């Protein structure tokens, strides 16, 4: 039995650094693994929905309307820059303080609608790894592949972030980590508009 190339493609696309990986790693470090789990669940569900809708043709529809695609790119870049700013300001607050919290389930689901990396991977998967099923069959196949694989990817990065707390014992180490996470996230916003 041969492994469907879709799974390898989705794994490579979702495991590599991007907004979700950066945010989940930082959340795991800042709030711990357990408190990051609603964020993980929201990413998994949101990515599944986004990729399924892309397989149904929503992604192609958006790309066929340049003004809408440009508006979505600007919204995505703005939201990602705002999150980068939040990470940068968290440099001064090691670990979680009162009033600070990780993403909720619904915030993480909604973020996938403006996450350019998810859209790009979903568009490539829908166009390059179709199995010849009907629209709903393709949507179910691609959406479940994205959600299933992303569950393990998100758990890995959140857990890795939570383990970083053992290394981030000084204020300087914490500032360097959060600063690098904020910078990487801001760089991903720049990639959206290019």
């Amino acid at each position: 039995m041969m492994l469907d190339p879709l799974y390898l493609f989705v794994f490579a696309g979702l495991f590599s650094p991007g907004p979700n990986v950066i945010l989940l790693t930082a959340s795991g470090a800042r709030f711990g693994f357990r408190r990051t789990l609603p964020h993980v669940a929201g990413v998994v569900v949101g990515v599944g929905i986004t990729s399924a809708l892309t397989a149904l043709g929503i992604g192609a529809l958006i790309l066929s309307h340049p003004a809408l695609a440009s508006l979505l790119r600007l919204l995505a870049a703005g939201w990602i820059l705002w999150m980068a700013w939040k990470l940068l300001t968290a440099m001064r607050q090691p670990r979680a303080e009162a009033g600070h919290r990780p993403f909720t389930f619904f915030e993480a689901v909604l973020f996938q609608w403006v996450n350019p990396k998810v859209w790009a991977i979903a568009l490539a998967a829908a166009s390059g790894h179709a199995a010849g099923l009907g629209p709903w069959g393709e949507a179910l196949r691609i959406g479940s592949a994205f959600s299933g694989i992303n569950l393990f990817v998100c758990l890995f990065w959140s857990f890795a972030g939570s383990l970083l707390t053992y290394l981030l014992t000084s204020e300087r180490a914490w500032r360097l980590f959060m600063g690098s996470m904020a910078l990487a996230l801001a760089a991903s916003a720049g990639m959206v508009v290019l």
Side-chain angles (χ1 to χ4, degrees), residues 24-38:
L24 287 167
T25 304
S27 182
R30 188 155 187 237
F31 301 106
F33 181 71
R34 189 180 309 208
R35 288 188 64 198
T36 302
L37 288 177

Side-chain angles (χ1 to χ4, degrees), residues 77 80-81 185-194:
I80 292 170
L81 285 172
L185 195 56
S188 73
M191 302 293 277
V192 172
V193 292
L194 296 179

Side-chain angles (χ1 to χ4, degrees), residues 102-169:
F103 265 32
T104 66
F105 172 83
F106 292 109
E107 288 169 339
V109 168
L110 290 175
F111 174 64
Q112 304 322 303
W113 284 86
V114 296
N115 185 340
K117 183 180 176 196
V118 170
W119 281 102
I121 297 166
L123 282 167
S127 62
H129 294 281
L133 304 172
W136 292 103
E138 284 296 337
L140 179 61
R141 176 178 165 267
I142 289 177
S144 61
F146 270 74
S147 283
I149 291 168
N150 207 26
L151 172 63
F152 296 103
V153 168
C154 292
L155 289 172
F156 172 85
W157 285 112
S158 299
F159 188 68
S162 70
L163 293 178
L164 284 174
T165 59
Y166 295 107
L167 299 174
L168 303 174
T169 55

Side-chain angles (χ1 to χ4, degrees), residues 2-25:
M2 196 167 130
L3 182 65
D4 187 340
L6 170 70
Y7 300 124
L8 296 174
F9 176 78
V10 171
F11 176 78
L14 295 177
F15 191 79
S16 60
N20 281 329
V21 167
I22 294 165
L23 290 170
L24 287 167
T25 304

